[in-house]
PDB file of all heavy atoms in Angstrom:
ATOM      1  N   THR A  48      -6.636  -1.376  -3.747  1.00  0.00           N
ATOM      2  CA  THR A  48      -6.049  -2.714  -3.941  1.00  0.00           C
ATOM      3  C   THR A  48      -6.717  -3.459  -5.097  1.00  0.00           C
ATOM      4  O   THR A  48      -7.790  -3.071  -5.593  1.00  0.00           O
ATOM      5  CB  THR A  48      -6.165  -3.570  -2.656  1.00  0.00           C
ATOM      6  OG1 THR A  48      -7.552  -3.748  -2.367  1.00  0.00           O
ATOM      7  CG2 THR A  48      -5.471  -2.914  -1.482  1.00  0.00           C
ATOM      8  N   TYR A  49      -6.048  -4.540  -5.491  1.00  0.00           N
ATOM      9  CA  TYR A  49      -6.474  -5.348  -6.643  1.00  0.00           C
ATOM     10  C   TYR A  49      -6.434  -6.807  -6.243  1.00  0.00           C
ATOM     11  O   TYR A  49      -5.426  -7.269  -5.670  1.00  0.00           O
ATOM     12  CB  TYR A  49      -5.472  -5.097  -7.775  1.00  0.00           C
ATOM     13  CG  TYR A  49      -5.829  -5.667  -9.117  1.00  0.00           C
ATOM     14  CD1 TYR A  49      -6.710  -5.002  -9.963  1.00  0.00           C
ATOM     15  CD2 TYR A  49      -5.274  -6.866  -9.561  1.00  0.00           C
ATOM     16  CE1 TYR A  49      -7.014  -5.505 -11.212  1.00  0.00           C
ATOM     17  CE2 TYR A  49      -5.578  -7.380 -10.812  1.00  0.00           C
ATOM     18  CZ  TYR A  49      -6.451  -6.686 -11.628  1.00  0.00           C
ATOM     19  OH  TYR A  49      -6.745  -7.192 -12.874  1.00  0.00           O
ATOM     20  N   HIS A  77      -3.759  -0.532  -7.713  1.00  0.00           N
ATOM     21  CA  HIS A  77      -2.762  -1.595  -7.601  1.00  0.00           C
ATOM     22  C   HIS A  77      -3.023  -2.533  -8.791  1.00  0.00           C
ATOM     23  O   HIS A  77      -4.157  -2.664  -9.255  1.00  0.00           O
ATOM     24  CB  HIS A  77      -2.945  -2.413  -6.320  1.00  0.00           C
ATOM     25  CG  HIS A  77      -2.751  -1.631  -5.059  1.00  0.00           C
ATOM     26  ND1 HIS A  77      -2.557  -2.236  -3.835  1.00  0.00           N
ATOM     27  CD2 HIS A  77      -2.723  -0.287  -4.808  1.00  0.00           C
ATOM     28  CE1 HIS A  77      -2.411  -1.312  -2.893  1.00  0.00           C
ATOM     29  NE2 HIS A  77      -2.517  -0.120  -3.462  1.00  0.00           N
ATOM     30  N   LEU A 106       2.626  -5.022  -8.613  1.00  0.00           N
ATOM     31  CA  LEU A 106       2.846  -6.082  -7.617  1.00  0.00           C
ATOM     32  C   LEU A 106       2.853  -7.453  -8.268  1.00  0.00           C
ATOM     33  O   LEU A 106       2.244  -7.649  -9.331  1.00  0.00           O
ATOM     34  CB  LEU A 106       1.688  -6.062  -6.607  1.00  0.00           C
ATOM     35  CG  LEU A 106       1.483  -4.761  -5.865  1.00  0.00           C
ATOM     36  CD1 LEU A 106       0.000  -4.539  -5.614  1.00  0.00           C
ATOM     37  CD2 LEU A 106       2.260  -4.770  -4.576  1.00  0.00           C
ATOM     38  N   ALA A 107       3.480  -8.405  -7.574  1.00  0.00           N
ATOM     39  CA  ALA A 107       3.421  -9.785  -8.071  1.00  0.00           C
ATOM     40  C   ALA A 107       2.062 -10.399  -7.766  1.00  0.00           C
ATOM     41  O   ALA A 107       1.504 -11.136  -8.569  1.00  0.00           O
ATOM     42  CB  ALA A 107       4.513 -10.614  -7.424  1.00  0.00           C
ATOM     43  N   GLY A 108       1.493 -10.098  -6.606  1.00  0.00           N
ATOM     44  CA  GLY A 108       0.316 -10.850  -6.151  1.00  0.00           C
ATOM     45  C   GLY A 108       0.795 -12.183  -5.599  1.00  0.00           C
ATOM     46  O   GLY A 108       1.954 -12.564  -5.777  1.00  0.00           O
ATOM     47  N   ASP A 109      -0.103 -12.890  -4.932  1.00  0.00           N
ATOM     48  CA  ASP A 109       0.310 -14.182  -4.378  1.00  0.00           C
ATOM     49  C   ASP A 109      -0.095 -15.298  -5.328  1.00  0.00           C
ATOM     50  O   ASP A 109      -1.171 -15.262  -5.905  1.00  0.00           O
ATOM     51  CB  ASP A 109      -0.312 -14.375  -2.989  1.00  0.00           C
ATOM     52  CG  ASP A 109       0.388 -13.472  -1.978  1.00  0.00           C
ATOM     53  OD1 ASP A 109       1.638 -13.448  -1.986  1.00  0.00           O
ATOM     54  OD2 ASP A 109      -0.317 -12.782  -1.220  1.00  0.00           O
ATOM     55  N   TYR A 123       7.398 -11.956 -11.727  1.00  0.00           N
ATOM     56  CA  TYR A 123       7.817 -11.033 -10.676  1.00  0.00           C
ATOM     57  C   TYR A 123       7.322  -9.619 -10.979  1.00  0.00           C
ATOM     58  O   TYR A 123       7.150  -9.237 -12.151  1.00  0.00           O
ATOM     59  CB  TYR A 123       9.346 -11.033 -10.559  1.00  0.00           C
ATOM     60  CG  TYR A 123       9.894 -12.378 -10.159  1.00  0.00           C
ATOM     61  CD1 TYR A 123      10.681 -13.112 -11.036  1.00  0.00           C
ATOM     62  CD2 TYR A 123       9.597 -12.913  -8.913  1.00  0.00           C
ATOM     63  CE1 TYR A 123      11.170 -14.367 -10.669  1.00  0.00           C
ATOM     64  CE2 TYR A 123      10.082 -14.163  -8.540  1.00  0.00           C
ATOM     65  CZ  TYR A 123      10.863 -14.880  -9.420  1.00  0.00           C
ATOM     66  OH  TYR A 123      11.334 -16.116  -9.045  1.00  0.00           O
ATOM     67  N   ALA A 124       7.165  -8.836  -9.909  1.00  0.00           N
ATOM     68  CA  ALA A 124       6.665  -7.462 -10.067  1.00  0.00           C
ATOM     69  C   ALA A 124       7.543  -6.646 -11.013  1.00  0.00           C
ATOM     70  O   ALA A 124       7.042  -5.798 -11.759  1.00  0.00           O
ATOM     71  CB  ALA A 124       6.587  -6.799  -8.694  1.00  0.00           C
ATOM     72  N   PHE A 144       9.217  -5.012   1.775  1.00  0.00           N
ATOM     73  CA  PHE A 144       8.944  -5.757   3.011  1.00  0.00           C
ATOM     74  C   PHE A 144      10.081  -5.547   4.004  1.00  0.00           C
ATOM     75  O   PHE A 144      11.118  -6.205   3.896  1.00  0.00           O
ATOM     76  CB  PHE A 144       8.758  -7.255   2.694  1.00  0.00           C
ATOM     77  CG  PHE A 144       7.503  -7.516   1.916  1.00  0.00           C
ATOM     78  CD1 PHE A 144       7.447  -7.239   0.557  1.00  0.00           C
ATOM     79  CD2 PHE A 144       6.359  -7.983   2.546  1.00  0.00           C
ATOM     80  CE1 PHE A 144       6.276  -7.432  -0.164  1.00  0.00           C
ATOM     81  CE2 PHE A 144       5.182  -8.175   1.839  1.00  0.00           C
ATOM     82  CZ  PHE A 144       5.145  -7.906   0.483  1.00  0.00           C
ATOM     83  N   HIS A 148      10.430 -10.401   2.517  1.00  0.00           N
ATOM     84  CA  HIS A 148       9.255 -11.073   1.955  1.00  0.00           C
ATOM     85  C   HIS A 148       9.250 -12.554   2.364  1.00  0.00           C
ATOM     86  O   HIS A 148      10.300 -13.206   2.327  1.00  0.00           O
ATOM     87  CB  HIS A 148       9.268 -10.943   0.421  1.00  0.00           C
ATOM     88  CG  HIS A 148       8.009 -11.456  -0.194  1.00  0.00           C
ATOM     89  ND1 HIS A 148       7.843 -12.784  -0.516  1.00  0.00           N
ATOM     90  CD2 HIS A 148       6.844 -10.838  -0.487  1.00  0.00           C
ATOM     91  CE1 HIS A 148       6.614 -12.949  -1.012  1.00  0.00           C
ATOM     92  NE2 HIS A 148       5.993 -11.779  -1.012  1.00  0.00           N
ATOM     93  N   ARG A 150       8.502 -15.224   0.963  1.00  0.00           N
ATOM     94  CA  ARG A 150       8.994 -16.238   0.002  1.00  0.00           C
ATOM     95  C   ARG A 150      10.491 -16.091  -0.291  1.00  0.00           C
ATOM     96  O   ARG A 150      11.044 -16.858  -1.078  1.00  0.00           O
ATOM     97  CB  ARG A 150       8.212 -16.146  -1.325  1.00  0.00           C
ATOM     98  CG  ARG A 150       6.783 -16.677  -1.241  1.00  0.00           C
ATOM     99  CD  ARG A 150       6.217 -17.066  -2.610  1.00  0.00           C
ATOM    100  NE  ARG A 150       6.123 -15.972  -3.543  1.00  0.00           N
ATOM    101  CZ  ARG A 150       5.137 -15.081  -3.580  1.00  0.00           C
ATOM    102  NH1 ARG A 150       4.144 -15.190  -2.731  1.00  0.00           N
ATOM    103  NH2 ARG A 150       5.134 -14.103  -4.459  1.00  0.00           N
ATOM    104  N   SER A 151      11.142 -15.102   0.333  1.00  0.00           N
ATOM    105  CA  SER A 151      12.571 -14.906   0.047  1.00  0.00           C
ATOM    106  C   SER A 151      13.418 -15.915   0.809  1.00  0.00           C
ATOM    107  O   SER A 151      13.229 -16.087   2.013  1.00  0.00           O
ATOM    108  CB  SER A 151      13.004 -13.493   0.459  1.00  0.00           C
ATOM    109  OG  SER A 151      12.449 -12.552  -0.413  1.00  0.00           O
ATOM    110  N   HIS A 160      16.838  -8.208  -4.831  1.00  0.00           N
ATOM    111  CA  HIS A 160      15.711  -8.125  -5.771  1.00  0.00           C
ATOM    112  C   HIS A 160      14.901  -6.846  -5.539  1.00  0.00           C
ATOM    113  O   HIS A 160      14.407  -6.227  -6.479  1.00  0.00           O
ATOM    114  CB  HIS A 160      14.793  -9.343  -5.629  1.00  0.00           C
ATOM    115  CG  HIS A 160      15.424 -10.624  -6.095  1.00  0.00           C
ATOM    116  ND1 HIS A 160      16.000 -10.746  -7.335  1.00  0.00           N
ATOM    117  CD2 HIS A 160      15.580 -11.815  -5.494  1.00  0.00           C
ATOM    118  CE1 HIS A 160      16.489 -11.967  -7.476  1.00  0.00           C
ATOM    119  NE2 HIS A 160      16.260 -12.631  -6.367  1.00  0.00           N
ATOM    120  N   LYS A 164      14.225  -3.807  -8.241  1.00  0.00           N
ATOM    121  CA  LYS A 164      12.844  -3.393  -8.545  1.00  0.00           C
ATOM    122  C   LYS A 164      12.657  -1.900  -8.262  1.00  0.00           C
ATOM    123  O   LYS A 164      12.075  -1.172  -9.068  1.00  0.00           O
ATOM    124  CB  LYS A 164      11.902  -4.252  -7.676  1.00  0.00           C
ATOM    125  CG  LYS A 164      10.448  -4.043  -7.899  1.00  0.00           C
ATOM    126  CD  LYS A 164       9.625  -5.092  -7.155  1.00  0.00           C
ATOM    127  CE  LYS A 164       9.606  -4.899  -5.645  1.00  0.00           C
ATOM    128  NZ  LYS A 164       8.575  -5.698  -4.966  1.00  0.00           N
ATOM    129  N   GLN A 174       4.902  -3.087   3.255  1.00  0.00           N
ATOM    130  CA  GLN A 174       3.920  -3.860   4.005  1.00  0.00           C
ATOM    131  C   GLN A 174       3.848  -3.234   5.400  1.00  0.00           C
ATOM    132  O   GLN A 174       4.809  -2.588   5.835  1.00  0.00           O
ATOM    133  CB  GLN A 174       4.418  -5.309   4.100  1.00  0.00           C
ATOM    134  CG  GLN A 174       3.471  -6.255   4.774  1.00  0.00           C
ATOM    135  CD  GLN A 174       2.099  -6.220   4.120  1.00  0.00           C
ATOM    136  OE1 GLN A 174       1.250  -5.429   4.533  1.00  0.00           O
ATOM    137  NE2 GLN A 174       1.875  -7.040   3.115  1.00  0.00           N
ATOM    138  N   TYR A 265      -2.904   2.151   6.049  1.00  0.00           N
ATOM    139  CA  TYR A 265      -3.864   1.117   5.656  1.00  0.00           C
ATOM    140  C   TYR A 265      -5.153   1.402   6.427  1.00  0.00           C
ATOM    141  O   TYR A 265      -5.230   1.140   7.629  1.00  0.00           O
ATOM    142  CB  TYR A 265      -3.332  -0.274   6.037  1.00  0.00           C
ATOM    143  CG  TYR A 265      -2.148  -0.711   5.192  1.00  0.00           C
ATOM    144  CD1 TYR A 265      -0.836  -0.486   5.593  1.00  0.00           C
ATOM    145  CD2 TYR A 265      -2.353  -1.332   3.969  1.00  0.00           C
ATOM    146  CE1 TYR A 265       0.237  -0.880   4.809  1.00  0.00           C
ATOM    147  CE2 TYR A 265      -1.282  -1.728   3.174  1.00  0.00           C
ATOM    148  CZ  TYR A 265      -0.001  -1.506   3.599  1.00  0.00           C
ATOM    149  OH  TYR A 265       1.059  -1.899   2.815  1.00  0.00           O
TER     150      TYR A 265
HETATM  151  P1  LIG B   1       8.066  -9.458  -6.119  1.00  0.00           P
HETATM  152  O1  LIG B   1       8.784  -8.189  -6.084  1.00  0.00           O
HETATM  153  O2  LIG B   1       7.917 -10.117  -7.446  1.00  0.00           O
HETATM  154  O3  LIG B   1       8.767 -10.437  -5.092  1.00  0.00           O
HETATM  155  C1  LIG B   1       8.161 -11.671  -4.715  1.00  0.00           C
HETATM  156  C2  LIG B   1       9.252 -12.617  -4.233  1.00  0.00           C
HETATM  157  O4  LIG B   1      10.065 -12.984  -5.342  1.00  0.00           O
HETATM  158  C3  LIG B   1      10.220 -11.997  -3.204  1.00  0.00           C
HETATM  159  O5  LIG B   1      10.599 -13.017  -2.326  1.00  0.00           O
HETATM  160  C4  LIG B   1      11.394 -11.543  -4.063  1.00  0.00           C
HETATM  161  O6  LIG B   1      12.602 -11.465  -3.334  1.00  0.00           O
HETATM  162  C5  LIG B   1      11.429 -12.666  -5.102  1.00  0.00           C
HETATM  163  N1  LIG B   1      12.013 -12.253  -6.374  1.00  0.00           N
HETATM  164  C6  LIG B   1      11.824 -11.091  -7.042  1.00  0.00           C
HETATM  165  N2  LIG B   1      12.496 -11.105  -8.213  1.00  0.00           N
HETATM  166  C7  LIG B   1      13.116 -12.309  -8.293  1.00  0.00           C
HETATM  167  C8  LIG B   1      13.949 -12.944  -9.268  1.00  0.00           C
HETATM  168  N3  LIG B   1      14.296 -12.339 -10.403  1.00  0.00           N
HETATM  169  N4  LIG B   1      14.370 -14.219  -9.018  1.00  0.00           N
HETATM  170  C9  LIG B   1      14.047 -14.864  -7.870  1.00  0.00           C
HETATM  171  N5  LIG B   1      13.255 -14.298  -6.919  1.00  0.00           N
HETATM  172  C10 LIG B   1      12.795 -13.063  -7.124  1.00  0.00           C
HETATM  173  N6  LIG B   1      -1.445  -8.244  -3.206  1.00  0.00           N
HETATM  174  C11 LIG B   1      -2.554  -8.292  -3.962  1.00  0.00           C
HETATM  175  O7  LIG B   1      -2.943  -9.378  -4.422  1.00  0.00           O
HETATM  176  N7  LIG B   1      -3.277  -7.147  -4.253  1.00  0.00           N
HETATM  177  C12 LIG B   1      -2.906  -5.929  -3.819  1.00  0.00           C
HETATM  178  O8  LIG B   1      -3.558  -4.923  -4.107  1.00  0.00           O
HETATM  179  C13 LIG B   1      -1.725  -5.838  -3.009  1.00  0.00           C
HETATM  180  N8  LIG B   1      -1.293  -4.646  -2.542  1.00  0.00           N
HETATM  181  C14 LIG B   1      -0.128  -4.575  -1.838  1.00  0.00           C
HETATM  182  C15 LIG B   1       0.336  -3.320  -1.423  1.00  0.00           C
HETATM  183  C16 LIG B   1       1.518  -3.201  -0.705  1.00  0.00           C
HETATM  184  C17 LIG B   1       1.999  -1.827  -0.291  1.00  0.00           C
HETATM  185  C18 LIG B   1       2.249  -4.386  -0.354  1.00  0.00           C
HETATM  186  C19 LIG B   1       3.506  -4.263   0.450  1.00  0.00           C
HETATM  187  C20 LIG B   1       1.802  -5.631  -0.757  1.00  0.00           C
HETATM  188  C21 LIG B   1       0.617  -5.746  -1.503  1.00  0.00           C
HETATM  189  N9  LIG B   1       0.143  -6.979  -1.961  1.00  0.00           N
HETATM  190  C22 LIG B   1      -1.003  -7.037  -2.730  1.00  0.00           C
HETATM  191  C23 LIG B   1       0.840  -8.238  -1.615  1.00  0.00           C
HETATM  192  C24 LIG B   1       1.847  -8.710  -2.681  1.00  0.00           C
HETATM  193  O9  LIG B   1       1.234  -8.908  -3.932  1.00  0.00           O
HETATM  194  C25 LIG B   1       2.438 -10.018  -2.184  1.00  0.00           C
HETATM  195  O10 LIG B   1       3.105  -9.840  -0.967  1.00  0.00           O
HETATM  196  C26 LIG B   1       3.335 -10.765  -3.132  1.00  0.00           C
HETATM  197  O11 LIG B   1       3.626 -12.046  -2.586  1.00  0.00           O
HETATM  198  C27 LIG B   1       4.680 -10.090  -3.379  1.00  0.00           C
HETATM  199  O12 LIG B   1       4.536  -9.048  -4.208  1.00  0.00           O
HETATM  200  P2  LIG B   1       5.803  -8.191  -4.707  1.00  0.00           P
HETATM  201  O13 LIG B   1       5.237  -7.230  -5.660  1.00  0.00           O
HETATM  202  O14 LIG B   1       6.625  -7.736  -3.596  1.00  0.00           O
HETATM  203  O15 LIG B   1       6.609  -9.356  -5.510  1.00  0.00           O
END
Side-chain angles (χ1 to χ4, degrees):
T48 62
Y49 189 81
H77 297 196
L106 302 145
D109 287 313
Y123 297 114
F144 292 77
H148 187 273
R150 287 202 298 278
S151 289
H160 291 308
K164 184 171 72 166
Q174 184 54 270
Y265 290 93

